Amino acid sequence: MSRKRRIDAPRRAAYDALRQISSQDAYANLVGPALLAERRITGRDAAFATELLNGTCRLQGSYDRIIAAASGRDPHKLQPTVLDVLRLGAHQLLSMRVPTHAAVAASVELAGAAIGERVTGLVNAVCRKIAARDLDGWISLLSEDCDVTDALALRTHHPRWIVEAYAELLPADELEAALRANNEPPTTCLVVRPGLCTVAELVDAGAEAHPQLPTAAYWKGNPGDLAAVREGRAGVQDPGSQQVALTLANAEAPAGAWLDTCAGPGGKAALLAGLAIRSGERLLAAELQPHRARLVAQALRAYAGDNAPEVVCADGTRPPWPMSYFARVMVDVPCTGLGALRRRPESRWRRTPADLDALNPLQESLLHKAIDATRPGGVIAYVTCSPHRRETTAIVDAALGARADVHRDTADTQLWPHRDGTDAMFCSLLRKG
């Protein structure tokens, strides 16, 4: 008679979330918290499950190479459910303070409970082989036949193509630090909705004011514990995202309405809306996807009055708004998200160079339509959460080369986690002639 396997709730939640990420292209920052809330996993158990899930996703490519070496087979020829158990086991064995015997036993229990007894022997054998070396030992072994770039990619847990893209942009002595910064989870940063909340209110509640940004404060703990966040008078937003919004808001521009052409999920729009109202203007926030447009409306829910922002579901490449109308335009284009790898742990292994081929024409079209929508003398902020040259300066340079009615207003801004403590946001401020 087979025994009934039992697995602790945090590991089971991490496994179930990882299965959604692996099989359904779900996002760790969405499915992880949702499962924890659904199963009422809190405190230290929630912290353990979060690190197990996010850390596994972040180092997945490296773990797959270790699993291949330990098992003697292509990991992608393993049953997908078994591979996910082994990935979770590798993270516990190599990157968490879990005793070896506990990590192996828990992985076997998870495999038996979630998949079936027939796979427990394999999981046990592979986990024990993984445990024979520490992470540095595995990286050293696997790097023996690598060139310099592959060795750096393995050591910093990135695909080679991302390492090459970063190497084009950064001095050689900064490259490894920049890549390693993507492996450090960011500190939670809050943003006020101007006119509805102040940084002083957040500080009084226990936050720490940002040293440079007048809209930002750092927070330790659950943001939902703050009344201002629950009420929509404040939110969570990376300081880099706040900085590019402030760049647009603080630029010289004529009077007139403001536009956010790709507003979902609404963070920049919510900040811009308050700044527009402060200037006596109104923001139009547009988003193509209906579910993302609803997120924008939720982010803007606390604003009211004659200048309250408007949300529309619209395609920025085929806009319904009038041309040469807006004084300030934000075009935060869809991109690979290579600037937010520290908060989107699975994305580095999900994205490929082919994504650039699909995104670049869309980025070009959105920028041209944003320029068309701007009145003479108005300003356009072209923004991406990616430092990749093909998504940043190449798009802007092409637009400037193709038209005579717009020019760079200031030098482009490229932020970096290792330099600025932000996502790797890019912003080019253009002015309509």
Side-chain angles (χ1 to χ4, degrees):
M1 183 176 181
S2 62
R3 57 172 291 195
K4 184 175 182 180
R5 301 274 186 178
R6 292 185 179 182
I7 189 64
D8 61 276
R11 286 184 173 88
R12 184 62 195 239
Y15 169 79
D16 289 341
L18 186 59
R19 287 304 306 137
Q20 292 186 48
I21 294 163
S22 299
S23 64
Q24 302 172 32
D25 287 339
Y27 296 94
N29 67 326
L30 299 179
V31 297
L35 276 176
L36 295 178
E38 176 187 315
R39 299 178 188 184
R40 299 181 181 180
I41 300 172
T42 60
R44 293 178 63 182
D45 284 347
F48 179 90
T50 300
E51 167 55 28
L52 179 54
L53 174 64
N54 291 347
T56 299
C57 290
R58 191 173 291 118
L59 275 67
Q60 178 178 302
S62 298
Y63 290 151
D64 283 358
R65 292 181 67 173
I66 292 169
I67 291 167
S71 67
R73 63 181 79 181
D74 181 345
H76 296 287
K77 292 183 178 179
L78 292 168
Q79 187 176 333
T81 50
V82 171
L83 179 56
D84 278 344
V85 168
L86 291 173
R87 288 165 171 167
L88 293 168
H91 190 62
Q92 292 171 77
L93 287 162
L94 302 177
S95 300
M96 295 182 74
R97 295 178 180 177
V98 179
T100 297
H101 70 277
V104 173
S107 298
V108 172
E109 290 291 315
L110 176 59
I115 306 169
E117 292 297 323
R118 60 186 175 78
V119 302
T120 56
L122 172 64
V123 169
N124 180 65
V126 176
C127 282
R128 289 184 180 280
K129 289 184 179 179
I130 291 172
R133 290 180 173 86
D134 62 13
L135 183 58
D136 288 342
W138 277 111
I139 297 301
S140 177
L141 175 68
L142 296 173
S143 298
E144 287 179 354
D145 297 324
C146 293
D147 63 21
V148 172
T149 302
D150 273 338
L152 179 59
L154 183 59
R155 189 165 67 248
T156 60
H157 315 296
H158 287 76
R160 181 186 175 103
W161 75 275
I162 294 179
V163 175
E164 292 173 335
Y166 274 47
E168 288 185 15
L169 301 166
L170 290 165
D173 61 355
E174 287 188 43
L175 179 56
E176 183 158 351
L179 293 165
R180 289 194 180 279
N182 288 335
N183 298 332
E184 298 297 326
T187 302
T188 299
C189 189
L190 304 175
V191 59
V192 299
R193 311 296 192 218
L196 304 177
C197 183
T198 64
V199 169
E201 178 184 341
L202 300 180
V203 170
D204 287 344
E208 177 185 351
H210 191 281
Q212 283 91 37
L213 297 178
T215 55
Y218 289 112
W219 177 254
K220 295 180 180 178
N222 180 4
D225 293 341
L226 288 167
V229 173
R230 294 195 302 272
E231 295 162 4
R233 298 184 296 107
V236 176
Q237 188 176 32
D238 181 78
S241 293
Q242 296 184 50
Q243 184 167 327
V244 298
L246 290 167
T247 296
L248 175 63
N250 293 335
E252 292 287 336
W258 299 19
L259 172 66
D260 185 349
T261 67
C262 304
K268 295 181 187 69
L271 177 53
L272 289 170
L275 297 169
I277 292 169
R278 180 181 292 173
S279 300
E281 306 293 353
R282 190 184 189 199
L283 175 77
L284 175 64
E287 171 53 48
L288 174 62
Q289 301 296 335
H291 72 282
R292 286 172 64 85
R294 289 191 290 272
L295 292 176
V296 177
Q298 177 69 8
L300 299 174
R301 68 188 184 280
Y303 290 110
D306 293 341
N307 280 349
E310 180 183 0
V311 180
V312 296
C313 193
D315 184 351
T317 67
R318 294 180 293 177
W321 45 79
M323 298 296 98
S324 301
Y325 179 77
F326 296 93
R328 301 173 198 266
V329 177
M330 168 72 71
V331 53
D332 181 10
V333 297
C335 67
T336 57
L338 299 187
L341 296 181
R342 58 190 190 145
R343 69 180 69 252
R344 297 173 185 167
E346 75 290 324
S347 62
R348 71 185 70 183
W349 309 111
R350 184 175 289 173
R351 289 296 193 182
T352 71
D355 292 313
L356 294 166
D357 298 331
L359 286 165
N360 286 162
L362 174 61
Q363 293 161 347
E364 292 172 359
S365 178
L366 286 166
L367 176 54
H368 280 284
K369 292 301 183 181
I371 296 169
D372 291 341
T374 308
R375 66 178 50 185
V379 288
I380 307 100
Y382 174 83
V383 172
T384 71
C385 191
S386 169
H388 200 291
R389 195 183 303 278
R390 285 182 58 186
E391 300 188 273
T392 57
T393 54
I395 299 295
V396 175
D397 289 345
L400 294 177
R403 42 195 312 163
D405 61 343
V406 67
H407 62 272
R408 272 189 174 88
D409 191 60
T410 59
D412 295 341
T413 298
Q414 178 63 70
L415 302 173
W416 292 97
H418 71 291
R419 290 179 183 172
D420 307 295
T422 68
D423 288 347
M425 299 294 301
F426 171 86
C427 178
S428 185
L429 192 68
L430 309 179
R431 187 170 297 273
K432 186 82 169 281

